[in-house]
Amino acid sequence: MPEPPQRDIETTRRSLARWLAGRLPEAGTPEVGVEAPRGRGFGPETLWAVAEWQRTGTRRDFAVRVASTRYQVLPESRLLDEYRVLRALAPTPVPVPAVLGYEADPAVLGAPFYVTERVRGWTPAERPPYRSGGALADRDEAGRAELWWAGLGVLRTLHGLDGDRLNVAFLEHAAGAPSGLGGQLDFYERHLDHFAADRSGVVLAALDWLRETLPEPAGPPRLLWGDARLGNIVFRGARPAAVLGWETAFLGPPEADLAWFLHVGRHLAGDGPRLAGLPGRQATIDRYEEWLGRPIAGQLPWHEVFAGFRFALVAARTGRLLAEQGLADGASEVPFTRAAERLLAAILAPLDAVAV
């Protein structure tokens, strides 16, 4: 994957030290070390920082999320929304990193950013797909199932929160996260060109089908993760220690998160067999219905098409960005883009809604 623009680490280190001193003035100005991890892909840049305060003898690890200034998958930055979601989830059972603050002034690090405590652990790698190797593949079948259920358990916890007691009403009016499924479709339709999907037959067929079959909500809207997948969880052993990736959070039905969770797992299986031990689609649905306390099978196909639609848009946009960097001949020739469209077509075909 592409590298973020190279930044001057020394300048970043000094700027971040001053910013931390302003946020924690009682401790003085810390000595700061900064690392810019490589291979983080498109979207917000992540920096890792270690701050040491000589006066108090304390040391703290931070993660810094900096808004992208060049390559952006989404039509607009959702960095502030992401920060506000983390703040709202801080007092809940959902494990999220503790937030230190948000900085809107681009003069500090070149773009707006926010800082959280860094949660150490491990994350299931998705490149290459975890069926091909890595920490998840290295576990035995029981261990893989344990991680899958732990990831699904994050959805159970999140969707069980009382939305009226969460401070997330701002999402109702967030430009990049309109509430309701109809609002979501409006948003993505307005930005088909941005995602380089305005000429994709299967994407347009999916959009038409989603419009024609839009379901009525089965219950009150919940805070949705938006990017529910194992690759967005920092684990300690088999326990979720931090849930990341809130850039596409919105308010809607829990089925949307479950469908995305299932879709990413299906995509990572590719054309090969599913990694042995990972529970299948029906077992996952059965477990989630039990947790949710109501049936979801009737509406889930709609949400699986919606997940495939969104995934195809992200893949197409990624393809366009790769082409702009000279790493591919064009968005339509990127295997990731074509695989996403094939998977969407496969979901649509049994519904008699595919047209390519």
Side-chain angles (χ1 to χ4, degrees):
M1 290 298 289
E3 302 294 339
Q6 295 300 304
R7 61 170 52 249
D8 186 312
I9 292 297
E10 180 59 25
T11 300
T12 301
R13 186 190 66 77
R14 292 197 301 266
S15 297
L16 193 56
R18 289 192 295 269
W19 188 87
L20 289 170
R23 289 283 170 165
L24 303 166
E26 68 281 359
T29 302
E31 290 292 326
V32 175
V34 174
E35 179 184 355
R38 299 180 66 82
R40 304 297 290 183
F42 299 116
E45 179 185 5
T46 298
L47 304 174
W48 292 335
V50 177
E52 297 187 66
W53 284 267
Q54 299 300 320
R55 181 187 302 175
T56 58
T58 56
R59 179 184 185 275
R60 294 174 66 178
D61 288 0
F62 297 106
V64 185
R65 289 272 284 175
V66 187
S68 175
T69 57
R70 291 180 63 190
Y71 303 114
Q72 190 165 295
V73 173
L74 297 178
E76 52 198 85
S77 174
R78 298 264 333 265
L79 198 74
L80 179 57
D81 291 341
E82 190 173 22
Y83 167 74
R84 295 177 72 182
V85 168
L86 289 174
R87 285 189 61 186
L89 289 172
T92 75
V94 178
V96 293
V99 293
L100 182 61
Y102 177 86
E103 179 56 64
D105 186 355
V108 181
L109 293 182
F113 66 92
Y114 70 82
V115 179
T116 71
E117 299 282 354
R118 180 182 176 187
V119 179
R120 293 186 177 270
W122 71 280
T123 299
E126 296 177 346
R127 294 190 301 270
Y130 33 65
R131 68 179 172 84
S132 303
L136 183 61
D138 291 342
R139 302 175 78 90
D140 61 22
E141 293 188 20
R144 296 168 189 164
E146 183 181 24
L147 288 173
W148 181 263
W149 295 130
L152 190 69
V154 170
L155 296 186
R156 178 189 189 183
T157 302
L158 174 65
H159 299 156
L161 298 177
D162 184 347
D164 293 335
R165 301 180 65 179
L166 282 175
N167 186 23
V168 292
F170 65 90
L171 287 175
E172 295 177 2
H173 309 290
S179 295
L181 299 176
Q184 284 281 304
L185 294 180
D186 290 344
F187 170 78
Y188 286 113
E189 185 171 13
R190 285 197 306 272
H191 296 290
L192 285 176
D193 178 67
H194 167 85
F195 287 106
D198 52 318
R199 298 183 181 180
S200 168
V202 68
V203 166
L204 296 177
L207 179 60
D208 288 344
W209 185 88
L210 290 166
R211 290 282 192 197
E212 293 169 3
T213 59
L214 188 69
E216 291 294 327
R222 309 288 180 90
L223 172 61
L224 302 184
W225 188 354
D227 194 7
R229 53 190 172 96
L230 293 183
N232 270 338
I233 301 175
V234 179
F235 286 93
R236 289 196 185 121
R239 180 180 63 85
V243 181
L244 310 176
W246 298 93
E247 195 175 11
T248 52
F250 68 101
L251 302 177
E255 287 91 337
D257 267 350
L258 177 63
W260 185 264
F261 187 81
L262 290 169
H263 188 84
V264 173
R266 185 174 176 180
H267 168 77
L268 290 172
D271 297 326
R274 186 173 177 82
L275 190 62
L278 289 182
R281 176 181 180 274
Q282 192 57 53
T284 303
I285 294 170
D286 291 345
R287 176 79 60 98
Y288 192 74
E289 282 186 332
E290 179 184 346
W291 286 345
L292 193 61
R294 64 172 173 81
I296 61 174
Q299 291 197 356
L300 192 60
W302 190 96
H303 291 280
E304 289 182 297
V305 173
F306 182 46
F309 169 76
R310 289 173 55 212
F311 196 90
L313 294 183
V314 171
R317 174 63 177 169
T318 303
R320 170 176 281 182
L321 293 173
L322 287 170
E324 289 175 357
Q325 284 198 347
L327 300 177
D329 294 333
S332 64
E333 298 303 314
V334 177
F336 177 55
T337 305
R338 291 161 55 182
E341 291 196 349
R342 285 198 305 270
L343 183 52
L344 176 57
I347 296 170
L348 282 167
L351 305 171
D352 296 324
V354 66
V356 294

